[in-house]
Amino acid sequence: MQAWAASAGLWAPGFANVKASAAGVADPLVIEPAAALLPERLARRASMLTRIAAEVLEQVCPGARLSDVATVYATAYGETQTLGAILDSMATDGSCSPARFHQSVQNTAAGLLSIANGNRGFSTTISAGADTVAMALLECFGVLQQESEVIAVFAEEPPPAPFAQSGFAAAGAALRLSREPTPGAQRVSLRRAEAEPPFQLPGEFANNPITVSLSLAEALHLRRSGTFALSPAPGGWAVEIGVTAGAEGEKKTA
């Protein structure tokens, strides 16, 4: 099963996009995602997780087809910062904010962004622990059996104390995938891992469950090809990045 990646987006503290991340030079002024897709009334209450999702979605699909394109969102932990704030309020004075409550579900980003863009197309949110990135890609391949295009959006923010087992930086990535090859797109496929090397993960993001999506976005941006394990655990999943459409004879190694 395969798809074609036409573009990749990325946001992380210090890195405004995938080009900056691939260059490896952090900008200390990049602290918050612009999240221009969200109207002010929605952005005011949106979590970091949702704003990251908005930012990377716009990077791969700037104003084009956002009213009907299929989307697959991926987050292992979901809106845990919002949930943590609700639990704090309940423990302090017994209150529960309705505004926070309706933005504490796993598909908050999908809901707010579909409203913001008037998108009535297919959308779902995947949460699968360490396999979240792999399962989101698998879901995308399934969607492409019916749709010509799908956007995968990966985003994660650290759970609040005391739920966080290990700290990590919030980050996100996005891939614009199509069923048929388009000029410049790279082939992407998914299979069970054998002895493939894992992606190299930046230290500050290493504990983030969707960090491998950042490495995948960078590899696509740099036009690399090869097969990489999505998890260091045995029996996991691997992603294969193939040649670029229109350049079958041109292969680059990671």
Side-chain angles (χ1 to χ4, degrees), residues 8-96:
L10 183 151
W11 188 92
F15 304 102
N17 50 48
V18 68
K19 181 179 180 181
S21 180
V25 180
D27 181 350
L29 297 180
V30 178
I31 301 172
E32 297 276 343
L37 283 180
L38 288 170
E40 185 178 353
R41 63 184 178 82
L42 294 179
R44 276 197 305 268
R45 296 194 300 268
S47 66
M48 173 68 87
L49 177 74
T50 294
R51 285 181 281 126
I52 290 173
E55 177 63 25
V56 296
L57 174 63
E58 185 178 27
Q59 287 182 21
V60 297
C61 204
R65 292 202 59 202
L66 279 176
S67 62
D68 63 353
V69 68
T71 48
V72 173
Y73 292 82
T75 171
Y77 294 125
E79 300 281 348
T80 53
Q81 290 286 343
T82 300
L83 180 59
I86 292 173
L87 294 175
D88 282 343
S89 294
M90 293 178 68
T92 301
D93 57 21
S95 67
C96 179

Coordinates of all heavy atoms in Angstrom, one line a residue, residues 8-96:
A8 N 5.3 18.7 2.6 CA 5.4 18.5 4.0 C 5.5 19.8 4.8 O 6.1 20.7 4.3 CB 6.6 17.6 4.3
G9 N 4.9 19.8 6.0 CA 5.0 21.0 6.8 C 5.5 20.6 8.2 O 5.4 19.4 8.6
L10 N 5.9 21.6 9.0 CA 6.5 21.3 10.3 C 6.5 22.6 11.1 O 6.7 23.7 10.6 CB 7.9 20.8 10.1 CG 8.7 20.3 11.4 CD1 9.7 19.2 11.0 CD2 9.5 21.5 12.0
W11 N 6.2 22.4 12.4 CA 6.4 23.5 13.4 C 6.9 22.9 14.7 O 6.4 21.9 15.1 CB 5.1 24.3 13.6 CG 5.4 25.5 14.5 CD1 5.7 26.7 14.0 CD2 5.5 25.6 15.9 NE1 5.9 27.6 15.1 CE2 5.8 26.9 16.2 CE3 5.3 24.6 16.9 CZ2 6.0 27.3 17.5 CZ3 5.5 25.0 18.2 CH2 5.9 26.3 18.5
A12 N 7.9 23.6 15.2 CA 8.4 23.2 16.6 C 9.0 24.5 17.2 O 9.4 25.4 16.4 CB 9.4 22.1 16.5
P13 N 9.1 24.6 18.5 CA 9.8 25.8 19.0 C 11.2 26.0 18.4 O 12.0 25.1 18.4 CB 9.9 25.4 20.5 CG 8.8 24.5 20.8 CD 8.7 23.7 19.5
G14 N 11.4 27.2 17.9 CA 12.7 27.5 17.2 C 12.6 27.2 15.7 O 13.5 27.7 15.0
F15 N 11.6 26.5 15.2 CA 11.6 26.2 13.8 C 10.2 26.5 13.2 O 9.2 25.8 13.6 CB 11.9 24.7 13.6 CG 13.3 24.3 14.2 CD1 13.3 23.7 15.4 CD2 14.4 24.7 13.5 CE1 14.6 23.3 15.9 CE2 15.7 24.3 14.1 CZ 15.7 23.7 15.3
A16 N 10.1 27.5 12.4 CA 8.8 27.9 11.8 C 8.3 27.0 10.8 O 7.0 27.0 10.5 CB 8.9 29.4 11.3
N17 N 9.1 26.2 10.1 CA 8.7 25.4 9.0 C 9.7 24.3 8.8 O 10.7 24.2 9.4 CB 8.5 26.2 7.7 CG 9.6 27.1 7.4 OD1 10.8 26.6 7.4 ND2 9.4 28.4 7.1
V18 N 9.4 23.4 7.8 CA 10.3 22.3 7.6 C 11.6 22.7 7.0 O 12.7 22.1 7.3 CB 9.6 21.2 6.7 CG1 9.4 21.8 5.3 CG2 10.4 19.9 6.6
K19 N 11.7 23.8 6.2 CA 12.9 24.2 5.7 C 13.9 24.7 6.8 O 15.1 24.3 6.8 CB 12.7 25.4 4.7 CG 13.9 26.0 4.1 CD 13.6 27.1 3.1 CE 14.9 27.7 2.5 NZ 14.6 28.8 1.6
A20 N 13.3 25.4 7.8 CA 14.2 25.8 8.9 C 14.6 24.6 9.7 O 15.8 24.6 10.2 CB 13.4 26.8 9.8
S21 N 13.8 23.7 9.9 CA 14.1 22.5 10.7 C 15.2 21.7 10.0 O 16.2 21.2 10.6 CB 12.9 21.6 10.9 OG 13.2 20.5 11.7
A22 N 15.1 21.5 8.7 CA 16.1 20.8 7.9 C 17.4 21.5 8.0 O 18.5 20.8 7.9 CB 15.6 20.6 6.5
A23 N 17.4 22.8 8.0 CA 18.7 23.5 8.1 C 19.4 23.4 9.5 O 20.6 23.6 9.6 CB 18.5 25.0 7.8
G24 N 18.5 23.1 10.5 CA 19.1 22.8 11.8 C 19.5 24.0 12.6 O 20.2 23.9 13.6
V25 N 19.1 25.2 12.2 CA 19.4 26.4 13.0 C 18.2 27.0 13.6 O 17.3 27.5 13.0 CB 20.1 27.5 12.1 CG1 20.4 28.7 12.9 CG2 21.3 26.9 11.4
A26 N 18.1 26.9 15.0 CA 16.9 27.3 15.7 C 16.8 28.8 15.8 O 17.8 29.5 16.0 CB 16.9 26.7 17.1
D27 N 15.6 29.3 15.7 CA 15.3 30.8 15.8 C 14.7 31.0 17.2 O 13.5 30.5 17.4 CB 14.4 31.3 14.7 CG 14.1 32.8 14.8 OD1 14.5 33.4 15.8 OD2 13.6 33.3 13.8
P28 N 15.3 31.6 18.1 CA 14.7 31.7 19.5 C 13.4 32.6 19.5 O 12.7 32.5 20.5 CB 15.8 32.4 20.3 CG 16.7 33.1 19.3 CD 16.6 32.2 18.0
L29 N 13.1 33.3 18.4 CA 11.9 34.1 18.3 C 10.7 33.3 18.0 O 9.6 33.7 18.1 CB 12.1 35.2 17.3 CG 13.2 36.3 17.7 CD1 13.3 37.3 16.6 CD2 13.0 36.9 19.0
V30 N 10.9 32.0 17.5 CA 9.8 31.2 17.1 C 9.3 30.4 18.4 O 9.9 29.4 18.8 CB 10.2 30.2 16.0 CG1 9.0 29.2 15.7 CG2 10.6 30.9 14.8
I31 N 8.3 31.0 19.0 CA 7.8 30.4 20.3 C 6.4 29.9 20.2 O 6.1 28.9 20.7 CB 7.9 31.5 21.4 CG1 9.3 32.0 21.6 CG2 7.3 31.0 22.7 CD1 9.4 33.2 22.5
E32 N 5.6 30.6 19.4 CA 4.2 30.2 19.2 C 3.9 30.1 17.7 O 4.4 30.9 16.9 CB 3.3 31.3 19.8 CG 3.4 31.5 21.3 CD 2.5 30.5 22.1 OE1 1.7 29.9 21.5 OE2 2.8 30.3 23.3
P33 N 3.1 29.1 17.3 CA 2.7 29.0 15.9 C 1.7 30.1 15.6 O 0.9 30.5 16.4 CB 2.0 27.6 15.9 CG 1.5 27.4 17.3 CD 2.5 28.0 18.2
A34 N 1.8 30.6 14.3 CA 0.9 31.7 13.9 C -0.5 31.3 13.8 O -1.4 32.0 14.2 CB 1.4 32.2 12.5
A35 N -0.8 30.0 13.4 CA -2.1 29.5 13.3 C -3.1 30.4 12.7 O -4.2 30.6 13.2 CB -2.6 29.1 14.7
A36 N -2.7 31.0 11.5 CA -3.5 32.0 10.8 C -4.9 31.4 10.3 O -5.8 32.2 10.1 CB -2.8 32.6 9.7
L37 N -5.0 30.1 10.2 CA -6.2 29.5 9.7 C -7.4 29.6 10.8 O -8.5 29.6 10.4 CB -6.0 28.0 9.5 CG -5.3 27.6 8.2 CD1 -5.2 26.1 8.1 CD2 -6.0 28.1 7.0
L38 N -7.0 29.8 12.0 CA -8.0 30.0 13.1 C -8.5 31.4 13.2 O -7.6 32.3 13.5 CB -7.5 29.5 14.4 CG -7.3 28.0 14.5 CD1 -6.5 27.7 15.8 CD2 -8.6 27.2 14.5
P39 N -9.8 31.7 13.0 CA -10.3 33.1 13.3 C -10.0 33.4 14.8 O -9.8 32.5 15.6 CB -11.8 33.0 13.1 CG -12.0 31.7 12.3 CD -10.8 30.8 12.6
E40 N -9.9 34.7 15.1 CA -9.5 35.2 16.4 C -10.4 34.6 17.5 O -9.9 34.2 18.6 CB -9.5 36.7 16.5 CG -9.0 37.2 17.8 CD -9.0 38.8 17.8 OE1 -9.3 39.4 16.8 OE2 -8.7 39.3 18.9
R41 N -11.7 34.5 17.2 CA -12.6 34.0 18.3 C -12.3 32.5 18.6 O -12.5 32.1 19.8 CB -14.0 34.2 17.8 CG -14.4 33.4 16.6 CD -15.8 33.7 16.1 NE -16.2 32.9 14.9 CZ -16.6 31.7 14.9 NH1 -16.7 31.0 16.1 NH2 -16.8 31.1 13.8
L42 N -11.8 31.7 17.7 CA -11.5 30.4 17.9 C -10.0 30.3 18.5 O -9.8 29.4 19.4 CB -11.6 29.5 16.7 CG -13.0 29.3 16.1 CD1 -12.9 28.5 14.8 CD2 -13.9 28.7 17.1
A43 N -9.1 31.1 18.0 CA -7.7 31.0 18.4 C -7.6 31.4 19.8 O -6.7 30.9 20.5 CB -6.9 31.9 17.5
R44 N -8.4 32.3 20.4 CA -8.3 32.7 21.7 C -8.3 31.6 22.7 O -7.6 31.6 23.7 CB -9.4 33.8 22.1 CG -9.1 35.2 21.7 CD -10.0 36.2 22.4 NE -11.4 35.8 22.3 CZ -12.2 36.4 21.3 NH1 -11.6 37.2 20.4 NH2 -13.4 36.0 21.2
R45 N -9.2 30.6 22.5 CA -9.3 29.5 23.4 C -8.6 28.2 23.0 O -8.7 27.2 23.7 CB -10.8 29.2 23.6 CG -11.6 30.3 24.2 CD -13.0 29.9 24.7 NE -13.8 29.3 23.6 CZ -14.7 30.0 22.9 NH1 -14.8 31.3 23.1 NH2 -15.4 29.5 21.9
A46 N -8.0 28.3 21.8 CA -7.4 27.1 21.3 C -6.1 26.7 22.0 O -5.3 27.6 22.4 CB -7.0 27.2 19.8
S47 N -5.9 25.5 22.3 CA -4.6 25.0 22.9 C -3.5 25.1 22.0 O -3.6 25.3 20.8 CB -4.8 23.5 23.4 OG -4.9 22.7 22.2
M48 N -2.3 24.9 22.5 CA -1.1 24.8 21.7 C -1.2 23.7 20.7 O -0.8 23.8 19.5 CB 0.2 24.6 22.6 CG 1.5 24.4 21.9 SD 2.1 25.8 20.9 CE 3.0 26.6 22.2
L49 N -1.7 22.6 21.1 CA -1.9 21.4 20.2 C -2.7 21.8 19.0 O -2.3 21.5 17.9 CB -2.6 20.3 21.0 CG -2.9 19.0 20.2 CD1 -1.7 18.2 19.9 CD2 -4.0 18.2 20.9
T50 N -3.9 22.5 19.2 CA -4.7 22.9 18.1 C -4.1 23.9 17.2 O -4.2 23.9 16.0 CB -6.1 23.4 18.6 OG1 -6.8 22.3 19.3 CG2 -6.9 23.9 17.5
R51 N -3.3 24.9 17.8 CA -2.7 25.9 17.0 C -1.5 25.3 16.2 O -1.3 25.8 15.1 CB -2.2 27.0 17.9 CG -3.4 27.9 18.4 CD -2.9 29.1 19.3 NE -2.7 28.6 20.7 CZ -1.6 28.8 21.3 NH1 -0.6 29.4 20.8 NH2 -1.5 28.4 22.6
I52 N -0.8 24.3 16.7 CA 0.2 23.7 15.9 C -0.4 23.0 14.7 O 0.1 23.0 13.6 CB 1.0 22.7 16.8 CG1 1.8 23.4 17.8 CG2 1.9 21.8 15.9 CD1 2.5 22.5 18.8
A53 N -1.5 22.3 15.0 CA -2.2 21.6 13.9 C -2.7 22.5 12.8 O -2.5 22.3 11.6 CB -3.4 20.8 14.4
A54 N -3.2 23.7 13.2 CA -3.6 24.7 12.3 C -2.4 25.2 11.4 O -2.5 25.4 10.2 CB -4.3 25.9 13.0
E55 N -1.3 25.4 12.1 CA -0.1 25.9 11.4 C 0.4 25.0 10.4 O 0.6 25.4 9.2 CB 1.0 26.2 12.4 CG 2.3 26.7 11.9 CD 2.2 28.0 11.1 OE1 1.3 28.8 11.4 OE2 3.0 28.3 10.2
V56 N 0.6 23.7 10.7 CA 1.2 22.8 9.7 C 0.2 22.4 8.6 O 0.5 22.1 7.5 CB 1.7 21.5 10.4 CG1 2.8 21.9 11.4 CG2 0.6 20.8 11.2
L57 N -1.2 22.4 9.0 CA -2.2 22.2 7.9 C -2.1 23.3 6.8 O -2.1 23.0 5.6 CB -3.6 22.2 8.5 CG -4.7 22.1 7.6 CD1 -4.7 20.8 6.8 CD2 -6.1 22.3 8.3
E58 N -1.9 24.5 7.3 CA -1.8 25.6 6.3 C -0.6 25.5 5.5 O -0.6 25.9 4.3 CB -1.9 27.0 7.0 CG -1.9 28.1 6.0 CD -2.1 29.5 6.7 OE1 -1.6 29.6 7.8 OE2 -2.6 30.4 6.0
Q59 N 0.5 25.1 6.1 CA 1.8 25.0 5.3 C 1.7 24.0 4.1 O 2.3 24.3 3.1 CB 2.9 24.5 6.3 CG 3.3 25.6 7.3 CD 4.5 25.1 8.1 OE1 5.2 24.1 7.8 NE2 4.7 25.7 9.3
V60 N 0.9 22.9 4.3 CA 0.9 22.0 3.2 C -0.3 22.2 2.3 O -0.4 21.7 1.2 CB 0.8 20.5 3.7 CG1 2.1 20.1 4.5 CG2 -0.4 20.3 4.6
C61 N -1.3 23.0 2.7 CA -2.4 23.3 1.9 C -2.9 24.7 2.0 O -3.9 25.0 2.6 CB -3.6 22.4 2.3 SG -4.8 22.0 1.0
P62 N -2.0 25.7 1.6 CA -2.3 27.1 1.8 C -3.5 27.6 1.0 O -3.3 28.0 -0.1 CB -1.0 27.8 1.4 CG -0.4 26.8 0.4 CD -0.8 25.5 0.8
G63 N -4.6 27.6 1.6 CA -5.8 28.1 0.9 C -6.4 27.3 -0.1 O -7.4 27.7 -0.7
A64 N -5.8 26.2 -0.4 CA -6.3 25.3 -1.6 C -7.1 24.1 -1.0 O -6.6 23.4 -0.2 CB -5.1 24.9 -2.4
R65 N -8.3 24.0 -1.5 CA -9.2 22.8 -1.2 C -9.4 22.6 0.3 O -9.8 21.5 0.7 CB -8.5 21.6 -1.8 CG -8.5 21.6 -3.3 CD -8.4 20.1 -3.8 NE -9.5 19.3 -3.4 CZ -9.4 18.0 -3.3 NH1 -8.3 17.4 -3.7 NH2 -10.5 17.3 -2.9
L66 N -9.2 23.5 1.1 CA -9.4 23.3 2.5 C -10.9 23.2 2.9 O -11.2 22.8 4.0 CB -8.8 24.4 3.4 CG -7.2 24.2 3.6 CD1 -6.7 25.4 4.3 CD2 -6.9 22.9 4.3
S67 N -11.8 23.5 2.0 CA -13.2 23.3 2.2 C -13.7 21.9 2.0 O -14.8 21.6 2.4 CB -14.0 24.3 1.4 OG -13.8 24.0 0.0
D68 N -12.9 21.1 1.4 CA -13.4 19.7 1.1 C -12.4 18.6 1.2 O -12.7 17.4 1.1 CB -14.1 19.7 -0.3 CG -13.1 19.9 -1.4 OD1 -12.0 20.3 -1.2 OD2 -13.6 19.8 -2.6
V69 N -11.1 19.0 1.4 CA -10.1 17.9 1.5 C -10.2 17.0 2.7 O -10.6 17.5 3.8 CB -8.7 18.6 1.5 CG1 -8.4 19.3 2.8 CG2 -7.6 17.5 1.2
A70 N -10.0 15.7 2.5 CA -10.0 14.8 3.6 C -8.8 15.0 4.5 O -7.7 15.3 4.1 CB -10.0 13.3 3.1
T71 N -9.1 14.8 5.9 CA -8.0 15.1 6.8 C -7.9 13.9 7.9 O -9.0 13.5 8.3 CB -8.2 16.4 7.6 OG1 -9.5 16.5 8.0 CG2 -7.9 17.6 6.7
V72 N -6.7 13.6 8.2 CA -6.5 12.6 9.3 C -5.6 13.3 10.3 O -4.4 13.6 10.0 CB -5.8 11.3 8.8 CG1 -5.5 10.4 9.9 CG2 -6.8 10.6 7.8
Y73 N -6.1 13.5 11.5 CA -5.3 14.1 12.6 C -4.8 13.0 13.5 O -5.4 12.0 13.6 CB -6.2 15.1 13.4 CG -6.6 16.3 12.6 CD1 -7.7 16.3 11.8 CD2 -5.9 17.5 12.8 CE1 -8.1 17.4 11.1 CE2 -6.3 18.6 12.0 CZ -7.3 18.6 11.2 OH -7.7 19.7 10.5
A74 N -3.6 13.3 14.0 CA -2.9 12.2 14.9 C -2.3 12.9 16.1 O -1.6 13.8 16.0 CB -1.8 11.5 14.1
T75 N -2.7 12.4 17.3 CA -2.1 12.8 18.5 C -2.3 11.6 19.5 O -3.3 11.0 19.7 CB -2.9 14.0 19.1 OG1 -2.4 14.3 20.4 CG2 -4.4 13.9 19.1
A76 N -1.2 11.3 20.2 CA -1.2 10.2 21.1 C -1.9 10.6 22.4 O -2.6 9.8 23.0 CB 0.2 9.7 21.4
Y77 N -1.6 11.8 22.9 CA -2.2 12.2 24.2 C -3.4 13.1 24.1 O -4.2 13.1 25.0 CB -1.1 13.0 25.0 CG 0.1 12.2 25.4 CD1 1.4 12.5 25.1 CD2 -0.1 11.0 26.1 CE1 2.5 11.8 25.4 CE2 1.0 10.2 26.5 CZ 2.3 10.6 26.2 OH 3.4 9.9 26.5
G78 N -3.5 13.8 23.0 CA -4.7 14.7 22.9 C -4.6 16.0 23.7 O -3.5 16.4 24.1
E79 N -5.8 16.5 24.0 CA -5.9 17.8 24.7 C -5.6 17.7 26.2 O -6.5 18.1 27.0 CB -7.2 18.4 24.4 CG -7.5 18.7 22.9 CD -6.8 19.9 22.4 OE1 -6.2 20.7 23.3 OE2 -6.7 20.1 21.2
T80 N -4.5 17.2 26.6 CA -4.2 16.9 28.0 C -4.0 18.2 28.8 O -4.3 18.2 30.0 CB -3.0 16.0 28.2 OG1 -1.9 16.5 27.5 CG2 -3.4 14.6 27.7
Q81 N -3.5 19.2 28.2 CA -3.3 20.5 28.9 C -4.7 21.1 29.3 O -4.9 21.6 30.4 CB -2.5 21.5 28.1 CG -1.1 21.1 27.9 CD -0.3 21.4 29.2 OE1 -0.7 22.1 30.1 NE2 0.9 20.8 29.2
T82 N -5.6 21.0 28.4 CA -7.0 21.5 28.7 C -7.7 20.6 29.7 O -8.3 21.1 30.6 CB -7.8 21.5 27.4 OG1 -7.2 22.3 26.4 CG2 -9.2 22.0 27.6
L83 N -7.5 19.3 29.6 CA -8.1 18.4 30.6 C -7.5 18.6 32.0 O -8.2 18.6 33.0 CB -7.8 17.0 30.1 CG -8.4 15.9 31.1 CD1 -9.9 16.0 31.2 CD2 -8.0 14.5 30.6
G84 N -6.2 18.9 32.0 CA -5.5 19.2 33.3 C -6.1 20.4 33.9 O -6.3 20.5 35.2
A85 N -6.4 21.5 33.1 CA -6.9 22.7 33.7 C -8.3 22.4 34.2 O -8.7 23.0 35.3 CB -7.0 23.8 32.6
I86 N -9.1 21.6 33.6 CA -10.4 21.2 34.1 C -10.3 20.5 35.4 O -11.1 20.8 36.4 CB -11.2 20.3 33.0 CG1 -11.5 21.2 31.8 CG2 -12.4 19.8 33.6 CD1 -12.1 20.3 30.6
L87 N -9.4 19.6 35.5 CA -9.3 18.8 36.7 C -8.8 19.7 37.9 O -9.2 19.6 39.0 CB -8.3 17.7 36.5 CG -8.7 16.5 35.6 CD1 -7.6 15.5 35.4 CD2 -10.0 15.9 36.1
D88 N -7.9 20.7 37.6 CA -7.5 21.6 38.6 C -8.7 22.4 39.1 O -8.8 22.6 40.3 CB -6.4 22.6 38.0 CG -5.1 21.9 37.9 OD1 -4.8 20.9 38.6 OD2 -4.2 22.5 37.2
S89 N -9.5 22.9 38.2 CA -10.7 23.7 38.6 C -11.6 22.9 39.5 O -12.2 23.3 40.5 CB -11.4 24.2 37.4 OG -10.7 25.1 36.7
M90 N -11.8 21.6 39.1 CA -12.7 20.7 39.8 C -12.2 20.5 41.2 O -12.9 20.4 42.2 CB -13.0 19.4 39.1 CG -13.8 19.6 37.8 SD -14.0 18.1 36.9 CE -15.1 17.2 38.0
A91 N -10.9 20.3 41.3 CA -10.2 20.0 42.6 C -10.2 21.3 43.5 O -10.3 21.2 44.7 CB -8.8 19.5 42.4
T92 N -10.1 22.5 42.9 CA -10.0 23.7 43.6 C -11.4 24.2 44.1 O -11.6 24.5 45.3 CB -9.4 24.8 42.8 OG1 -8.1 24.3 42.4 CG2 -9.2 26.1 43.5
D93 N -12.3 24.3 43.2 CA -13.6 24.9 43.6 C -14.8 24.1 43.1 O -16.0 24.6 43.2 CB -13.7 26.3 43.2 CG -13.6 26.5 41.7 OD1 -13.7 25.6 40.9 OD2 -13.2 27.7 41.3
G94 N -14.6 23.0 42.5 CA -15.7 22.1 42.0 C -16.3 22.6 40.7 O -17.3 22.0 40.3
S95 N -15.7 23.6 40.1 CA -16.3 24.1 38.8 C -15.7 23.4 37.6 O -14.6 22.8 37.7 CB -16.0 25.6 38.7 OG -14.7 25.8 38.5
C96 N -16.5 23.4 36.5 CA -16.0 22.8 35.3 C -16.5 23.7 34.1 O -17.7 23.8 33.9 CB -16.6 21.4 35.1 SG -16.1 20.6 33.5

